[in-house]
Amino acid sequence: CAQPIHLHGLCVRNIAGATCDSDCPFSPRATAYMPGSHAMEEYALSFWIYMGVMSVFVGGAMKKILASHISAAPSLLVWLGLLLVLERLCSLCLPALLGLAVLCAACCLVSGRSSAAQTLSAEGKAVFITGCDSGFGKAAALQLDALGFEVFASVLDPAGSGATELRRRCSPRLTVLRMDITKPQEVQDALHCTRARLGPQGLWGLVNNAGICVNFGDAELSLMSNYRGCMEVNFFGTLNVTKTFLPLVRQAKGRIVTVSSPSGEQPFPCLAAYGASKAALNLFINTLRHELEPWGVKVSTILPSSYKTGQSSNLAYWEQQNKQLIQSLSPSLLEEYGEEYLLETMELFKAYSETANEDFSPVINTISEALLSPRPQVRYYAGKGVGLMYFIYSYLPLSVSDRFLQQLFVKKKVLPRALRSQSTSHNNNNNMLHK
């Protein structure tokens, strides 16, 4: 039998399938000397509590290491190593429950210490934010202005309600600029205006927020114009803005913060066009992060959960999109899927949108942290359930994660018409055979 390892009074042997000898408490010869089932239950309880504490903390530490900037990894690894040493000392020198209590207290202390990191001052720093007509962009402009940043907020409509509210509520430091990120000339005009206002200081932060989801439906049913529309805004538009403003960001050794989506990394049903554009964006931003490391520019990606932004809560818009889709589909494809299938998809999305979060603070706070933290994380999970979703997708079998996404996002009950016909025909044939 392998050498014993004592985990808070519990002797664990038989590592890697070794055969137990009579000294091991779990060997057949030693079972006659066991103190009884009650003691064994206490040992088992202690062991599982121990495993739970260590799994939660080590998993959380590894998540922070993977999500943090590379310069923060050494200090996190040192703290993790010190806690593992403390665990060994508690295991060997203290009773089981007391050792677990000390270990839990140490884990809480280190977690609290790491979360209470210092922040940089916003004074004298400028940020450029895209998509500030509404949603995350407008909320971020309001908060960053309140923190003391000089804010350049790009909008599609300078006379719209969003731009008007920004001018009314913000300080004179905020500048509203008209810019459609899909129009190169407007991007260049915004650059010239920003550069003239900044002078030699450069741009501390570029917040890529502008984005769009133009349709919701099966990949086969989504129009090519939907795919091109998402790519034009979410990928090519953001790509052009980033390349255009990057010299100013490098000049300040600043930050690039991009609001992306989990659908760019996980196969959400009915979001193929939107997800594909975000997948392209994610790869570009991750590549940029590596390339800008020598320049001192830090790059972060924010992955939000479901929020009521843009057209997501505009039910009339989605009804119009569904009507346009039905009119655009070929007769054969519409016959195979059926209008009732398309209608259910739209109703499911409307129901999902109604449950979306209206409080943007988790996303806005992560934008602020990514801009002001001395060591910003590479990835921020903003909102309830996003971390759990990524854990399931990363560590559990694909069958489990696929099932989780289907139950979380769209719970379809109506089959396409052609599949319903096949199912009915199959059942009728079975009934005839039984007769």
Side-chain angles (χ1 to χ4, degrees), residues 200-216:
Q201 70 180 22
L203 184 66
W204 175 256
L206 171 63
V207 180
N208 290 315
N209 166 72
I212 189 172
C213 180
V214 297
N215 82 306
F216 180 86

Side-chain angles (χ1 to χ4, degrees), residues 359-397:
D359 177 18
F360 299 156
S361 58
V363 178
I364 308 308
N365 290 338
T366 56
I367 292 176
S368 301
E369 181 181 340
L371 290 170
L372 291 176
S373 172
R375 293 173 174 174
Q377 297 180 18
V378 172
R379 299 159 69 86
Y380 288 93
Y381 303 108
K384 295 181 179 179
V386 184
L388 174 63
M389 181 171 59
Y390 269 88
F391 176 84
I392 292 175
Y393 180 74
S394 302
Y395 298 108
L396 297 185

